[in-house]
Amino acid sequence: MRKIIPISLLILLPIISYSQKKMGVLIGLNNSSISEGVLGQVSITDKMGFHLGGFYEFDLNEKIKFRPKLVYSQQGNRDGGSSSIEHIDYKSNYFNIPLNFKFYESTYILAGPQIGILVSEEKYTPFIEGETFDLGINLGIGQKIKDFFLELNLYQGLTKAIDKPNYDGELVKGTNTLIQVSIGYYIF
């Protein structure tokens, strides 16, 4: 492990220093839910959270940029009142690392994997815990306006966020599903 970090830095440092690079910050609203599998439930509710973070962007070529982010995000269902998977009252907070590729410049598309690390959770409905590590896929669109940008991102987790027993006693896999609206600013 100790050898991997210096070797990785030796490989990435020339790429980062050679390319055109930008840094910035972002903040926005989340609409999150625990879905039953991949896109098992994608719905907009009145239970909102927020996210904030920073990003680093550098050119791979004229039309493609690599844009990793570090984002603090409130996730989970944030709702209660039923024993079905759609109404689990589960609030979670993650540090997410989206490893997005940005296609084009003014109006753009974002796509890539995302790694999430569970920071804290509050659960008000009994269920069996899932993983503290979240892995999924991001897809988004954005519009750059001078040094500002607006983005709409969709995230679907692939790893289990929670397991919850249904009425038959079977465990239902719950994954993170997230719709994010962000505003950001390029610092330089």
Side-chain angles (χ1 to χ4, degrees):
M1 181 69 173
R2 290 182 180 180
K3 292 180 181 180
I4 293 173
I5 294 172
I7 291 171
S8 299
L9 287 175
L10 286 174
I11 293 170
L12 290 175
L13 193 58
I15 295 170
I16 293 170
S17 63
Y18 173 74
S19 61
Q20 296 290 328
K21 50 192 175 279
K22 298 177 183 177
M23 292 183 73
V25 293
L26 60 105
I27 190 166
L29 293 176
N30 291 346
N31 192 286
S32 61
S33 63
I34 301 295
S35 62
E36 206 170 310
V38 176
L39 298 177
Q41 170 200 344
V42 178
S43 60
I44 297 176
T45 66
D46 60 351
K47 306 298 180 191
M48 304 295 278
F50 75 93
H51 63 275
L52 60 98
F55 66 90
Y56 183 79
E57 179 179 298
F58 63 91
D59 295 350
L60 297 176
N61 65 34
E62 287 183 21
K63 295 184 180 181
I64 302 174
K65 297 171 181 11
F66 182 57
R67 190 182 202 194
K69 299 177 188 174
L70 178 60
V71 180
Y72 173 80
S73 178
Q74 293 181 326
Q75 294 175 203
N77 262 19
R78 303 184 175 276
D79 196 4
S82 173
S83 59
S84 68
I85 193 102
E86 293 86 12
H87 298 289
I88 297 170
D89 192 0
Y90 175 66
K91 299 176 182 179
S92 57
N93 299 303
Y94 281 84
F95 276 122
N96 291 325
I97 305 169
L99 302 172
N100 289 330
F101 291 91
K102 179 181 169 186
F103 301 92
Y104 307 109
E105 183 61 28
S106 181
T107 302
Y108 56 89
I109 299 170
L110 295 169
Q114 176 174 300
I115 300 165
I117 300 166
L118 182 66
V119 177
S120 65
E121 63 184 351
E122 297 176 34
K123 49 189 173 182
Y124 304 99
T125 307
F127 58 83
I128 297 171
E129 293 186 30
E131 305 295 326
T132 58
F133 176 79
D134 191 31
L135 178 66
I137 299 172
N138 270 321
L139 185 61
I141 58 171
Q143 178 66 48
K144 184 177 175 188
I145 306 163
K146 296 189 180 185
D147 286 339
F148 291 91
F149 63 86
L150 295 170
E151 285 181 0
L152 173 65
N153 289 298
L154 304 174
Y155 170 75
Q156 177 58 62
L158 301 175
T159 57
K160 142 181 94 172
I162 63 167
D163 275 338
K164 181 184 185 316
N166 64 11
Y167 292 114
D168 299 330
E170 298 173 6
L171 291 179
V172 177
K173 175 183 173 182
T175 58
N176 283 310
T177 301
L178 191 61
I179 301 169
Q180 294 179 317
V181 177
S182 308
I183 184 166
Y185 178 73
Y186 284 94
I187 297 171
F188 64 87

